[in-house]
Structure formats: C-alpha cells, structure tokens
Amino acid sequence: MTLIKSISGIRGTIGGKVGDNLTPLDVVRFASGYGFWLQNIRDRKELKVVLGRDARISGHMVSQLISSSLQGLGIHVIDLGLSTTPTVEVMVPELKADGGIIITASHNPKEWNALKLLNEKGEFISEKEGKEILQIADKESFFYAKVDKLGSYEERKNAIAIHIEKILNLPRVSVEKVKHKKFKVVIDAVNSTGGIAVPALLKKLHCEFIPLYCSPTGDFPHNPEPLKEHLTDICGKVKEEKADFGIVVDPDVDRLSIIDENGEIWGEEYTLVAISDYLLRKEKGVVVSNLSSSRALREVAIRLGSEYFASAVGEANVVTLMKEKKALIGGEGNGGIIYPALHYGRDALVGIALFLTFLAEEGKTASQLKNSYPKYFMGKKKVELTPNINADLILERLEREYQNENLTTTDGLKVDYSDHWIHLRKSNTEPIIRIYTEAGSQEEADNIAHKMIEKIKGLARS
C-alpha cells in the first residue's frame, strides 16, 4: 500500500510491510524521531506533548504507540482522546506544551492514518523541521529514558469545551444574534469527532440541529472528502427537514462545507469567500489562500478595498504568507478557514460560528448569500501515479508547452486565462497528480480537466 512522508506529516495505510505502510514499528519510529527532535531544540528538562485523534478505527492503537514512545523518551503526554485537529492546535499553547501530535488522515478513507506534528505554538512544523525529524527517524539512533525518568501520562476531557468557549468569546462572533435567529441545521460529521464538537458548539448558540452520521465510530458512511458526489444524503436531509442549511465537516474537523436550504451544495471554495466577505466588511485587510483556490475570493477582497495574495498549496505555506502579510483571514479553498484572532490553523468550528453570525446579521437565506458572489465552478480531478508516469517530467514538458501563457510555477504549474484557469501539482498526501480547474460553468471546468488528464496520459505514453 502506501507510506508518505511530507510537509503534511507522516501518512499511510494501516497494516502491511514495515517501511511501506503505517505499521506499529513505523509509528514508534516517527513518534520517537519527533520526540528526540523536541529534546534537541527545546532547552527544558521536562517536555510536554499534547495528543488528540479523530475517530477512525486505528486511532486508539496509533495513539497508544505514540504515547508510549514519547513516555519512553521521558516526555510527559497530555492525551485529549477523541478531539479535532483545531482543538489540539488550540490546546498546545493553552497547556504550555512543547508540541503536539494529531492522529488523523483528514479526508483520506478509513484505512489511512497519519501523524501531524505541531510546534510549541500549536502550528504545523516547517518543511525544514519536518526533514530534520525524518532524518532522525531514519537513523533510529534514539536514546530512551531509564525507568525513573519515564514520562508521565494524563488525560484531559474538556479540550473541546475550552476550544468552543474561546470561539464564542471572539469579538466577531455574536452569540446573541445567532441565538435570536434559532437556526435549524443538519450536520454530517462522517461518524468522526465532528459529531462531538459541532453539536456542542450549536447547543451553545441555541441552534436546533439534526445529526446525520454523528456517531464517532470511525466507520465512515461515505467517502470522507466533502465533495459533491459524496454528499447526496445530507442534501436530501436538509430539504426533508426544511432546515436553514447543512454543515459538512471532514473527519478531523478542519474543513467546512455548506449546503443551502434547497439542498444545493455551496462548494467548499465559497466557505472561505463568505467568511472573508463578512470580516472584510468589518475592517479592510489582507486575505490569503492557496493557488488552487477560487478566483471569487480575490474579486470579493478587491471589491471591499482589501488585498489578496496566493501561496503554494499546504496549510503551512498559507500560514507563512498570512504572517508575512499580516492577514486578517485566510485559508484553503477546500473549506479550510484560518482565523488568526483565534489561532493559525484550519478550523471548521470557528468557521461555523463566523458563518452563523454573518447569516444572522444579513438576514438572508444561505442560497441568497451564495448568489451574491461571483459565480465560478471548480473541477477537482486527479491522475494516479503509476510507474510509467513521471510527474516531474510531465510538468516540465507542460511548462514548456504553455510558456507563452500566464504561468505560475510556485507550486506545480498554474495557467491563468481570462475566463478560466488550470492548476497541476503533485499531491503532498497521496501518490497522484491533482488537477484543479475553474471556469464559468461546471461543464466547462470538468471538460478542461478531462482534456488535461488525456494530455497527461498521452505524454506518459510518449
């Protein structure tokens, strides 16, 4: 199967051969590498690391392996148990820890899991730091603690509640306005930890909610990536329940997708568009997204007298540019909202609270709000990397072919035209070339993507 080591963490399929998959030995090796790296960079005798996991089936096993490895190095472990990615990010500085590990493979199917590594700020480690950890793990020259110096272990069960309280205390979140509206919402949490966190948030906001796939069993009822083709159940449920809108989150609750009152999918891109619109109306500022995000975000920012900048794909890259530009809001077009007023990490929970406040203030339906934005449609396709497809060589050949067009090569290859764009890049998390397109209709966006897929296959054969 697959083991991938990248800026996005250590990710792989459970079981199989050591070194080819995410096996128990691989988990111990990478967790030890991270712990040993922390010991080298932190000038403290006693280190603390926060752990949290989504609900996928392998999570408890992986968490125990990580915890024991860190304790074996003399590191104290604070285990949040079933949690969300943004909750762990918030709790690392809250608990004055030296780092954190989130056990989640995000949108990947249930056979996958991953170790996402955080620094003392609760932010993802840099690419340079990630390479250092991988080198340490590959050498396996760890020095474990003697029996009297083993790390301690404690559980914390109130982390999600603390996270939610911080969200409700944000100046741009109006609890009273949302309470007054008494919204009715359907939730699809794909049977992971969003089924714990999202209802808890909505209760605080006095919203009526209808849970759909909110039991945190890790048995995903559909592909967990919140794309249109996976969300037919919630679209029907929103209409059936006559709800104001629907909320979809991925297994670790860092991506947010909206379904309008007619059961129509907004598209993940427009989550960030709407929340940026709300915040930039309050104060002019800078908004940042990655190169694969919708052109609509830039247009909304400019219309409101603000600035827009694009980074390479990857949360760490977006955060780096946000800090450089002192951005008010940012994120990724996959429904990832990064709001620095709370923390520098994608956070569906803060996205929900800001969206509810905006909807309450505007007095519009979800569909009316969506229709107020520039209408673009995005295609998200992929080409599996087989032995006869050399991704780097193909991207080089395509760059030469399109050299007279408006090109960006910061991350893969992006070609901008007046009425559409196409972005090709190797995935950080899967053995694929991702193909993103955007145009004035879904049919056109998909056609552009399909033509590029055929072109790539043709280049692979030539």
Side-chain angles (χ1 to χ4, degrees), residues 272-273 275-277 279-280 283-290 296-302 304 306-311 318 321-322 325-331 338:
L272 180 57
V273 172
I275 291 169
S276 298
D277 181 23
L279 293 170
L280 294 174
E283 56 181 307
K284 291 181 181 179
V286 171
V287 61
V288 172
S289 68
N290 66 40
L297 182 62
R298 180 183 67 186
E299 294 184 11
V300 166
I302 292 170
L304 293 171
S306 293
E307 293 184 278
Y308 167 80
F309 296 93
S311 78
V318 176
L321 188 57
M322 287 180 69
K325 300 297 183 181
K326 297 180 172 58
L328 175 67
I329 182 68
I338 302 174

PDB file of all heavy atoms in Angstrom, residues 272-273 275-277 279-280 283-290 296-302 304 306-311 318 321-322 325-331 338:
ATOM      1  N   LEU A 272     -14.786  29.936   2.482  1.00  0.00           N
ATOM      2  CA  LEU A 272     -13.803  30.984   2.750  1.00  0.00           C
ATOM      3  C   LEU A 272     -14.228  32.315   2.136  1.00  0.00           C
ATOM      4  O   LEU A 272     -13.989  33.377   2.723  1.00  0.00           O
ATOM      5  CB  LEU A 272     -12.427  30.559   2.213  1.00  0.00           C
ATOM      6  CG  LEU A 272     -11.274  31.543   2.410  1.00  0.00           C
ATOM      7  CD1 LEU A 272     -11.087  31.897   3.883  1.00  0.00           C
ATOM      8  CD2 LEU A 272      -9.979  30.971   1.833  1.00  0.00           C
ATOM      9  N   VAL A 273     -14.859  32.269   0.982  1.00  0.00           N
ATOM     10  CA  VAL A 273     -15.331  33.507   0.329  1.00  0.00           C
ATOM     11  C   VAL A 273     -16.313  34.240   1.241  1.00  0.00           C
ATOM     12  O   VAL A 273     -16.195  35.450   1.483  1.00  0.00           O
ATOM     13  CB  VAL A 273     -15.982  33.200  -1.037  1.00  0.00           C
ATOM     14  CG1 VAL A 273     -16.644  34.451  -1.617  1.00  0.00           C
ATOM     15  CG2 VAL A 273     -14.941  32.654  -2.017  1.00  0.00           C
ATOM     16  N   ILE A 275     -16.931  33.907   4.560  1.00  0.00           N
ATOM     17  CA  ILE A 275     -16.400  34.353   5.849  1.00  0.00           C
ATOM     18  C   ILE A 275     -15.433  35.523   5.661  1.00  0.00           C
ATOM     19  O   ILE A 275     -15.407  36.454   6.466  1.00  0.00           O
ATOM     20  CB  ILE A 275     -15.763  33.162   6.585  1.00  0.00           C
ATOM     21  CG1 ILE A 275     -16.873  32.188   7.002  1.00  0.00           C
ATOM     22  CG2 ILE A 275     -14.970  33.617   7.804  1.00  0.00           C
ATOM     23  CD1 ILE A 275     -16.401  30.860   7.492  1.00  0.00           C
ATOM     24  N   SER A 276     -14.674  35.512   4.566  1.00  0.00           N
ATOM     25  CA  SER A 276     -13.815  36.655   4.257  1.00  0.00           C
ATOM     26  C   SER A 276     -14.656  37.894   3.965  1.00  0.00           C
ATOM     27  O   SER A 276     -14.316  39.005   4.398  1.00  0.00           O
ATOM     28  CB  SER A 276     -12.910  36.330   3.068  1.00  0.00           C
ATOM     29  OG  SER A 276     -12.061  35.248   3.361  1.00  0.00           O
ATOM     30  N   ASP A 277     -15.744  37.702   3.244  1.00  0.00           N
ATOM     31  CA  ASP A 277     -16.667  38.811   2.959  1.00  0.00           C
ATOM     32  C   ASP A 277     -17.166  39.442   4.258  1.00  0.00           C
ATOM     33  O   ASP A 277     -17.149  40.666   4.434  1.00  0.00           O
ATOM     34  CB  ASP A 277     -17.839  38.274   2.134  1.00  0.00           C
ATOM     35  CG  ASP A 277     -18.846  39.337   1.750  1.00  0.00           C
ATOM     36  OD1 ASP A 277     -18.491  40.536   1.716  1.00  0.00           O
ATOM     37  OD2 ASP A 277     -20.010  38.982   1.486  1.00  0.00           O
ATOM     38  N   LEU A 279     -15.829  39.346   7.344  1.00  0.00           N
ATOM     39  CA  LEU A 279     -14.783  40.008   8.127  1.00  0.00           C
ATOM     40  C   LEU A 279     -14.250  41.266   7.444  1.00  0.00           C
ATOM     41  O   LEU A 279     -13.983  42.279   8.099  1.00  0.00           O
ATOM     42  CB  LEU A 279     -13.643  39.028   8.392  1.00  0.00           C
ATOM     43  CG  LEU A 279     -13.999  37.855   9.307  1.00  0.00           C
ATOM     44  CD1 LEU A 279     -12.886  36.817   9.316  1.00  0.00           C
ATOM     45  CD2 LEU A 279     -14.278  38.330  10.734  1.00  0.00           C
ATOM     46  N   LEU A 280     -14.097  41.217   6.112  1.00  0.00           N
ATOM     47  CA  LEU A 280     -13.570  42.381   5.393  1.00  0.00           C
ATOM     48  C   LEU A 280     -14.579  43.520   5.323  1.00  0.00           C
ATOM     49  O   LEU A 280     -14.197  44.672   5.095  1.00  0.00           O
ATOM     50  CB  LEU A 280     -13.127  41.968   3.984  1.00  0.00           C
ATOM     51  CG  LEU A 280     -11.925  41.014   3.916  1.00  0.00           C
ATOM     52  CD1 LEU A 280     -11.686  40.558   2.485  1.00  0.00           C
ATOM     53  CD2 LEU A 280     -10.672  41.666   4.480  1.00  0.00           C
ATOM     54  N   GLU A 283     -13.665  45.341   8.610  1.00  0.00           N
ATOM     55  CA  GLU A 283     -12.400  46.086   8.551  1.00  0.00           C
ATOM     56  C   GLU A 283     -11.612  45.652   7.319  1.00  0.00           C
ATOM     57  O   GLU A 283     -11.530  44.467   7.002  1.00  0.00           O
ATOM     58  CB  GLU A 283     -11.569  45.858   9.812  1.00  0.00           C
ATOM     59  CG  GLU A 283     -11.269  44.400  10.117  1.00  0.00           C
ATOM     60  CD  GLU A 283     -10.459  44.210  11.389  1.00  0.00           C
ATOM     61  OE1 GLU A 283      -9.396  44.838  11.507  1.00  0.00           O
ATOM     62  OE2 GLU A 283     -10.916  43.435  12.257  1.00  0.00           O
ATOM     63  N   LYS A 284     -11.031  46.630   6.627  1.00  0.00           N
ATOM     64  CA  LYS A 284     -10.208  46.311   5.472  1.00  0.00           C
ATOM     65  C   LYS A 284      -8.957  45.572   5.937  1.00  0.00           C
ATOM     66  O   LYS A 284      -8.440  45.824   7.020  1.00  0.00           O
ATOM     67  CB  LYS A 284      -9.821  47.583   4.731  1.00  0.00           C
ATOM     68  CG  LYS A 284     -10.984  48.272   4.036  1.00  0.00           C
ATOM     69  CD  LYS A 284     -10.518  49.513   3.303  1.00  0.00           C
ATOM     70  CE  LYS A 284     -11.705  50.216   2.635  1.00  0.00           C
ATOM     71  NZ  LYS A 284     -11.287  51.444   1.923  1.00  0.00           N
ATOM     72  N   GLY A 285      -8.478  44.681   5.091  1.00  0.00           N
ATOM     73  CA  GLY A 285      -7.299  43.924   5.472  1.00  0.00           C
ATOM     74  C   GLY A 285      -6.805  43.082   4.324  1.00  0.00           C
ATOM     75  O   GLY A 285      -7.133  43.313   3.161  1.00  0.00           O
ATOM     76  N   VAL A 286      -6.025  42.089   4.662  1.00  0.00           N
ATOM     77  CA  VAL A 286      -5.448  41.176   3.685  1.00  0.00           C
ATOM     78  C   VAL A 286      -6.071  39.804   3.843  1.00  0.00           C
ATOM     79  O   VAL A 286      -6.304  39.348   4.969  1.00  0.00           O
ATOM     80  CB  VAL A 286      -3.915  41.078   3.878  1.00  0.00           C
ATOM     81  CG1 VAL A 286      -3.318  39.965   3.022  1.00  0.00           C
ATOM     82  CG2 VAL A 286      -3.260  42.407   3.540  1.00  0.00           C
ATOM     83  N   VAL A 287      -6.346  39.152   2.717  1.00  0.00           N
ATOM     84  CA  VAL A 287      -6.826  37.773   2.736  1.00  0.00           C
ATOM     85  C   VAL A 287      -5.868  36.929   1.902  1.00  0.00           C
ATOM     86  O   VAL A 287      -5.360  37.379   0.873  1.00  0.00           O
ATOM     87  CB  VAL A 287      -8.273  37.666   2.213  1.00  0.00           C
ATOM     88  CG1 VAL A 287      -8.388  38.136   0.771  1.00  0.00           C
ATOM     89  CG2 VAL A 287      -8.791  36.236   2.337  1.00  0.00           C
ATOM     90  N   VAL A 288      -5.611  35.713   2.368  1.00  0.00           N
ATOM     91  CA  VAL A 288      -4.662  34.809   1.710  1.00  0.00           C
ATOM     92  C   VAL A 288      -5.323  33.457   1.491  1.00  0.00           C
ATOM     93  O   VAL A 288      -6.014  32.944   2.370  1.00  0.00           O
ATOM     94  CB  VAL A 288      -3.391  34.618   2.574  1.00  0.00           C
ATOM     95  CG1 VAL A 288      -2.487  33.526   1.996  1.00  0.00           C
ATOM     96  CG2 VAL A 288      -2.618  35.932   2.687  1.00  0.00           C
ATOM     97  N   SER A 289      -5.099  32.893   0.312  1.00  0.00           N
ATOM     98  CA  SER A 289      -5.471  31.492   0.079  1.00  0.00           C
ATOM     99  C   SER A 289      -4.385  30.864  -0.773  1.00  0.00           C
ATOM    100  O   SER A 289      -3.388  31.511  -1.102  1.00  0.00           O
ATOM    101  CB  SER A 289      -6.836  31.380  -0.608  1.00  0.00           C
ATOM    102  OG  SER A 289      -6.774  31.887  -1.936  1.00  0.00           O
ATOM    103  N   ASN A 290      -4.556  29.605  -1.136  1.00  0.00           N
ATOM    104  CA  ASN A 290      -3.528  28.980  -1.961  1.00  0.00           C
ATOM    105  C   ASN A 290      -3.859  29.098  -3.447  1.00  0.00           C
ATOM    106  O   ASN A 290      -4.930  29.553  -3.827  1.00  0.00           O
ATOM    107  CB  ASN A 290      -3.306  27.516  -1.545  1.00  0.00           C
ATOM    108  CG  ASN A 290      -4.513  26.636  -1.809  1.00  0.00           C
ATOM    109  OD1 ASN A 290      -5.189  26.738  -2.822  1.00  0.00           O
ATOM    110  ND2 ASN A 290      -4.790  25.738  -0.880  1.00  0.00           N
ATOM    111  N   ALA A 296     -12.980  33.828  -7.041  1.00  0.00           N
ATOM    112  CA  ALA A 296     -14.034  34.631  -6.404  1.00  0.00           C
ATOM    113  C   ALA A 296     -13.514  35.322  -5.146  1.00  0.00           C
ATOM    114  O   ALA A 296     -13.944  36.443  -4.827  1.00  0.00           O
ATOM    115  CB  ALA A 296     -15.232  33.747  -6.055  1.00  0.00           C
ATOM    116  N   LEU A 297     -12.593  34.683  -4.417  1.00  0.00           N
ATOM    117  CA  LEU A 297     -12.068  35.272  -3.186  1.00  0.00           C
ATOM    118  C   LEU A 297     -11.318  36.566  -3.487  1.00  0.00           C
ATOM    119  O   LEU A 297     -11.502  37.578  -2.801  1.00  0.00           O
ATOM    120  CB  LEU A 297     -11.154  34.271  -2.473  1.00  0.00           C
ATOM    121  CG  LEU A 297     -10.570  34.736  -1.144  1.00  0.00           C
ATOM    122  CD1 LEU A 297     -11.659  35.013  -0.126  1.00  0.00           C
ATOM    123  CD2 LEU A 297      -9.593  33.688  -0.596  1.00  0.00           C
ATOM    124  N   ARG A 298     -10.492  36.539  -4.491  1.00  0.00           N
ATOM    125  CA  ARG A 298      -9.740  37.740  -4.886  1.00  0.00           C
ATOM    126  C   ARG A 298     -10.703  38.857  -5.286  1.00  0.00           C
ATOM    127  O   ARG A 298     -10.516  40.018  -4.900  1.00  0.00           O
ATOM    128  CB  ARG A 298      -8.803  37.407  -6.043  1.00  0.00           C
ATOM    129  CG  ARG A 298      -7.966  38.599  -6.518  1.00  0.00           C
ATOM    130  CD  ARG A 298      -7.119  38.220  -7.711  1.00  0.00           C
ATOM    131  NE  ARG A 298      -7.941  37.934  -8.893  1.00  0.00           N
ATOM    132  CZ  ARG A 298      -7.462  37.474 -10.045  1.00  0.00           C
ATOM    133  NH1 ARG A 298      -6.166  37.211 -10.149  1.00  0.00           N
ATOM    134  NH2 ARG A 298      -8.265  37.239 -11.063  1.00  0.00           N
ATOM    135  N   GLU A 299     -11.740  38.518  -6.033  1.00  0.00           N
ATOM    136  CA  GLU A 299     -12.688  39.529  -6.511  1.00  0.00           C
ATOM    137  C   GLU A 299     -13.457  40.164  -5.352  1.00  0.00           C
ATOM    138  O   GLU A 299     -13.693  41.374  -5.345  1.00  0.00           O
ATOM    139  CB  GLU A 299     -13.634  38.913  -7.539  1.00  0.00           C
ATOM    140  CG  GLU A 299     -12.928  38.502  -8.819  1.00  0.00           C
ATOM    141  CD  GLU A 299     -13.874  37.970  -9.879  1.00  0.00           C
ATOM    142  OE1 GLU A 299     -15.111  38.113  -9.718  1.00  0.00           O
ATOM    143  OE2 GLU A 299     -13.386  37.408 -10.871  1.00  0.00           O
ATOM    144  N   VAL A 300     -13.846  39.353  -4.370  1.00  0.00           N
ATOM    145  CA  VAL A 300     -14.554  39.885  -3.200  1.00  0.00           C
ATOM    146  C   VAL A 300     -13.631  40.803  -2.403  1.00  0.00           C
ATOM    147  O   VAL A 300     -14.040  41.887  -1.962  1.00  0.00           O
ATOM    148  CB  VAL A 300     -15.087  38.735  -2.315  1.00  0.00           C
ATOM    149  CG1 VAL A 300     -15.510  39.256  -0.945  1.00  0.00           C
ATOM    150  CG2 VAL A 300     -16.264  38.048  -3.005  1.00  0.00           C
ATOM    151  N   ALA A 301     -12.384  40.398  -2.216  1.00  0.00           N
ATOM    152  CA  ALA A 301     -11.433  41.218  -1.458  1.00  0.00           C
ATOM    153  C   ALA A 301     -11.214  42.570  -2.134  1.00  0.00           C
ATOM    154  O   ALA A 301     -11.254  43.627  -1.476  1.00  0.00           O
ATOM    155  CB  ALA A 301     -10.112  40.477  -1.309  1.00  0.00           C
ATOM    156  N   ILE A 302     -11.006  42.559  -3.431  1.00  0.00           N
ATOM    157  CA  ILE A 302     -10.773  43.804  -4.165  1.00  0.00           C
ATOM    158  C   ILE A 302     -12.003  44.712  -4.100  1.00  0.00           C
ATOM    159  O   ILE A 302     -11.887  45.927  -3.911  1.00  0.00           O
ATOM    160  CB  ILE A 302     -10.381  43.497  -5.626  1.00  0.00           C
ATOM    161  CG1 ILE A 302      -8.999  42.827  -5.654  1.00  0.00           C
ATOM    162  CG2 ILE A 302     -10.390  44.765  -6.476  1.00  0.00           C
ATOM    163  CD1 ILE A 302      -8.614  42.275  -7.001  1.00  0.00           C
ATOM    164  N   LEU A 304     -14.044  45.019  -1.783  1.00  0.00           N
ATOM    165  CA  LEU A 304     -14.150  45.602  -0.441  1.00  0.00           C
ATOM    166  C   LEU A 304     -12.924  46.442  -0.072  1.00  0.00           C
ATOM    167  O   LEU A 304     -12.730  46.790   1.090  1.00  0.00           O
ATOM    168  CB  LEU A 304     -14.351  44.480   0.591  1.00  0.00           C
ATOM    169  CG  LEU A 304     -15.687  43.733   0.478  1.00  0.00           C
ATOM    170  CD1 LEU A 304     -15.701  42.506   1.377  1.00  0.00           C
ATOM    171  CD2 LEU A 304     -16.852  44.649   0.822  1.00  0.00           C
ATOM    172  N   SER A 306      -9.756  45.643  -0.174  1.00  0.00           N
ATOM    173  CA  SER A 306      -8.724  44.887   0.536  1.00  0.00           C
ATOM    174  C   SER A 306      -7.788  44.208  -0.453  1.00  0.00           C
ATOM    175  O   SER A 306      -7.971  44.286  -1.666  1.00  0.00           O
ATOM    176  CB  SER A 306      -9.385  43.862   1.470  1.00  0.00           C
ATOM    177  OG  SER A 306     -10.077  44.515   2.503  1.00  0.00           O
ATOM    178  N   GLU A 307      -6.776  43.526   0.066  1.00  0.00           N
ATOM    179  CA  GLU A 307      -5.768  42.889  -0.773  1.00  0.00           C
ATOM    180  C   GLU A 307      -5.854  41.373  -0.694  1.00  0.00           C
ATOM    181  O   GLU A 307      -6.231  40.819   0.340  1.00  0.00           O
ATOM    182  CB  GLU A 307      -4.363  43.325  -0.345  1.00  0.00           C
ATOM    183  CG  GLU A 307      -4.047  44.783  -0.581  1.00  0.00           C
ATOM    184  CD  GLU A 307      -2.609  45.099  -0.213  1.00  0.00           C
ATOM    185  OE1 GLU A 307      -2.351  45.301   0.996  1.00  0.00           O
ATOM    186  OE2 GLU A 307      -1.751  45.111  -1.112  1.00  0.00           O
ATOM    187  N   TYR A 308      -5.460  40.728  -1.786  1.00  0.00           N
ATOM    188  CA  TYR A 308      -5.456  39.268  -1.843  1.00  0.00           C
ATOM    189  C   TYR A 308      -4.077  38.782  -2.281  1.00  0.00           C
ATOM    190  O   TYR A 308      -3.461  39.346  -3.177  1.00  0.00           O
ATOM    191  CB  TYR A 308      -6.510  38.757  -2.839  1.00  0.00           C
ATOM    192  CG  TYR A 308      -6.343  37.290  -3.166  1.00  0.00           C
ATOM    193  CD1 TYR A 308      -6.813  36.323  -2.299  1.00  0.00           C
ATOM    194  CD2 TYR A 308      -5.681  36.880  -4.325  1.00  0.00           C
ATOM    195  CE1 TYR A 308      -6.640  34.970  -2.576  1.00  0.00           C
ATOM    196  CE2 TYR A 308      -5.496  35.534  -4.609  1.00  0.00           C
ATOM    197  CZ  TYR A 308      -5.982  34.587  -3.726  1.00  0.00           C
ATOM    198  OH  TYR A 308      -5.793  33.251  -3.993  1.00  0.00           O
ATOM    199  N   PHE A 309      -3.601  37.693  -1.650  1.00  0.00           N
ATOM    200  CA  PHE A 309      -2.342  37.062  -2.035  1.00  0.00           C
ATOM    201  C   PHE A 309      -2.531  35.547  -2.052  1.00  0.00           C
ATOM    202  O   PHE A 309      -3.336  35.004  -1.287  1.00  0.00           O
ATOM    203  CB  PHE A 309      -1.224  37.423  -1.054  1.00  0.00           C
ATOM    204  CG  PHE A 309      -0.885  38.893  -1.032  1.00  0.00           C
ATOM    205  CD1 PHE A 309      -1.497  39.736  -0.109  1.00  0.00           C
ATOM    206  CD2 PHE A 309       0.019  39.419  -1.937  1.00  0.00           C
ATOM    207  CE1 PHE A 309      -1.206  41.083  -0.091  1.00  0.00           C
ATOM    208  CE2 PHE A 309       0.319  40.773  -1.918  1.00  0.00           C
ATOM    209  CZ  PHE A 309      -0.288  41.609  -0.992  1.00  0.00           C
ATOM    210  N   ALA A 310      -1.771  34.867  -2.924  1.00  0.00           N
ATOM    211  CA  ALA A 310      -1.869  33.407  -3.047  1.00  0.00           C
ATOM    212  C   ALA A 310      -0.545  32.750  -2.694  1.00  0.00           C
ATOM    213  O   ALA A 310       0.526  33.218  -3.095  1.00  0.00           O
ATOM    214  CB  ALA A 310      -2.273  33.022  -4.470  1.00  0.00           C
ATOM    215  N   SER A 311      -0.621  31.651  -1.953  1.00  0.00           N
ATOM    216  CA  SER A 311       0.567  30.894  -1.564  1.00  0.00           C
ATOM    217  C   SER A 311       0.588  29.551  -2.280  1.00  0.00           C
ATOM    218  O   SER A 311      -0.377  29.165  -2.948  1.00  0.00           O
ATOM    219  CB  SER A 311       0.542  30.643  -0.050  1.00  0.00           C
ATOM    220  OG  SER A 311      -0.349  29.585   0.259  1.00  0.00           O
ATOM    221  N   VAL A 318       0.305  28.517   3.542  1.00  0.00           N
ATOM    222  CA  VAL A 318      -0.688  29.577   3.687  1.00  0.00           C
ATOM    223  C   VAL A 318      -0.401  30.387   4.957  1.00  0.00           C
ATOM    224  O   VAL A 318      -0.420  31.620   4.941  1.00  0.00           O
ATOM    225  CB  VAL A 318      -2.121  28.998   3.733  1.00  0.00           C
ATOM    226  CG1 VAL A 318      -3.145  30.098   3.989  1.00  0.00           C
ATOM    227  CG2 VAL A 318      -2.448  28.289   2.425  1.00  0.00           C
ATOM    228  N   LEU A 321       2.585  32.795   4.619  1.00  0.00           N
ATOM    229  CA  LEU A 321       2.261  34.015   3.866  1.00  0.00           C
ATOM    230  C   LEU A 321       1.312  34.910   4.654  1.00  0.00           C
ATOM    231  O   LEU A 321       1.431  36.143   4.606  1.00  0.00           O
ATOM    232  CB  LEU A 321       1.652  33.645   2.511  1.00  0.00           C
ATOM    233  CG  LEU A 321       1.440  34.814   1.529  1.00  0.00           C
ATOM    234  CD1 LEU A 321       2.751  35.549   1.250  1.00  0.00           C
ATOM    235  CD2 LEU A 321       0.810  34.324   0.230  1.00  0.00           C
ATOM    236  N   MET A 322       0.380  34.317   5.390  1.00  0.00           N
ATOM    237  CA  MET A 322      -0.534  35.112   6.220  1.00  0.00           C
ATOM    238  C   MET A 322       0.241  35.929   7.249  1.00  0.00           C
ATOM    239  O   MET A 322      -0.046  37.111   7.479  1.00  0.00           O
ATOM    240  CB  MET A 322      -1.543  34.201   6.923  1.00  0.00           C
ATOM    241  CG  MET A 322      -2.616  33.626   6.015  1.00  0.00           C
ATOM    242  SD  MET A 322      -3.774  32.555   6.911  1.00  0.00           S
ATOM    243  CE  MET A 322      -4.650  33.758   7.937  1.00  0.00           C
ATOM    244  N   LYS A 325       2.125  38.799   5.518  1.00  0.00           N
ATOM    245  CA  LYS A 325       1.249  39.882   5.054  1.00  0.00           C
ATOM    246  C   LYS A 325       0.338  40.417   6.164  1.00  0.00           C
ATOM    247  O   LYS A 325      -0.468  41.311   5.921  1.00  0.00           O
ATOM    248  CB  LYS A 325       0.380  39.383   3.892  1.00  0.00           C
ATOM    249  CG  LYS A 325       1.169  38.903   2.679  1.00  0.00           C
ATOM    250  CD  LYS A 325       1.980  40.020   2.044  1.00  0.00           C
ATOM    251  CE  LYS A 325       2.698  39.541   0.799  1.00  0.00           C
ATOM    252  NZ  LYS A 325       3.505  40.617   0.179  1.00  0.00           N
ATOM    253  N   LYS A 326       0.450  39.841   7.367  1.00  0.00           N
ATOM    254  CA  LYS A 326      -0.409  40.223   8.495  1.00  0.00           C
ATOM    255  C   LYS A 326      -1.889  40.132   8.096  1.00  0.00           C
ATOM    256  O   LYS A 326      -2.679  41.061   8.290  1.00  0.00           O
ATOM    257  CB  LYS A 326      -0.072  41.625   8.998  1.00  0.00           C
ATOM    258  CG  LYS A 326       1.348  41.743   9.559  1.00  0.00           C
ATOM    259  CD  LYS A 326       1.636  43.139  10.040  1.00  0.00           C
ATOM    260  CE  LYS A 326       2.977  43.230  10.770  1.00  0.00           C
ATOM    261  NZ  LYS A 326       4.119  42.796   9.942  1.00  0.00           N
ATOM    262  N   ALA A 327      -2.261  38.990   7.555  1.00  0.00           N
ATOM    263  CA  ALA A 327      -3.610  38.777   7.023  1.00  0.00           C
ATOM    264  C   ALA A 327      -4.670  38.745   8.115  1.00  0.00           C
ATOM    265  O   ALA A 327      -4.436  38.219   9.213  1.00  0.00           O
ATOM    266  CB  ALA A 327      -3.655  37.478   6.227  1.00  0.00           C
ATOM    267  N   LEU A 328      -5.830  39.294   7.796  1.00  0.00           N
ATOM    268  CA  LEU A 328      -6.979  39.253   8.692  1.00  0.00           C
ATOM    269  C   LEU A 328      -7.621  37.872   8.681  1.00  0.00           C
ATOM    270  O   LEU A 328      -8.094  37.374   9.704  1.00  0.00           O
ATOM    271  CB  LEU A 328      -8.002  40.308   8.244  1.00  0.00           C
ATOM    272  CG  LEU A 328      -9.335  40.364   8.980  1.00  0.00           C
ATOM    273  CD1 LEU A 328      -9.136  40.826  10.420  1.00  0.00           C
ATOM    274  CD2 LEU A 328     -10.305  41.293   8.254  1.00  0.00           C
ATOM    275  N   ILE A 329      -7.637  37.250   7.517  1.00  0.00           N
ATOM    276  CA  ILE A 329      -8.295  35.951   7.324  1.00  0.00           C
ATOM    277  C   ILE A 329      -7.584  35.229   6.189  1.00  0.00           C
ATOM    278  O   ILE A 329      -6.993  35.866   5.305  1.00  0.00           O
ATOM    279  CB  ILE A 329      -9.810  36.129   7.013  1.00  0.00           C
ATOM    280  CG1 ILE A 329     -10.528  34.771   6.854  1.00  0.00           C
ATOM    281  CG2 ILE A 329     -10.017  37.006   5.786  1.00  0.00           C
ATOM    282  CD1 ILE A 329     -10.643  33.965   8.107  1.00  0.00           C
ATOM    283  N   GLY A 330      -7.625  33.939   6.213  1.00  0.00           N
ATOM    284  CA  GLY A 330      -7.018  33.161   5.145  1.00  0.00           C
ATOM    285  C   GLY A 330      -7.492  31.730   5.210  1.00  0.00           C
ATOM    286  O   GLY A 330      -8.374  31.373   5.996  1.00  0.00           O
ATOM    287  N   GLY A 331      -6.905  30.917   4.374  1.00  0.00           N
ATOM    288  CA  GLY A 331      -7.283  29.513   4.385  1.00  0.00           C
ATOM    289  C   GLY A 331      -7.086  28.878   3.038  1.00  0.00           C
ATOM    290  O   GLY A 331      -6.389  29.400   2.162  1.00  0.00           O
ATOM    291  N   ILE A 338      -8.743  29.779   8.248  1.00  0.00           N
ATOM    292  CA  ILE A 338      -7.683  30.108   9.202  1.00  0.00           C
ATOM    293  C   ILE A 338      -7.920  31.532   9.693  1.00  0.00           C
ATOM    294  O   ILE A 338      -7.811  32.488   8.924  1.00  0.00           O
ATOM    295  CB  ILE A 338      -6.288  29.986   8.560  1.00  0.00           C
ATOM    296  CG1 ILE A 338      -6.077  28.568   8.010  1.00  0.00           C
ATOM    297  CG2 ILE A 338      -5.200  30.329   9.581  1.00  0.00           C
ATOM    298  CD1 ILE A 338      -4.786  28.398   7.226  1.00  0.00           C
TER     299      ILE A 338
END
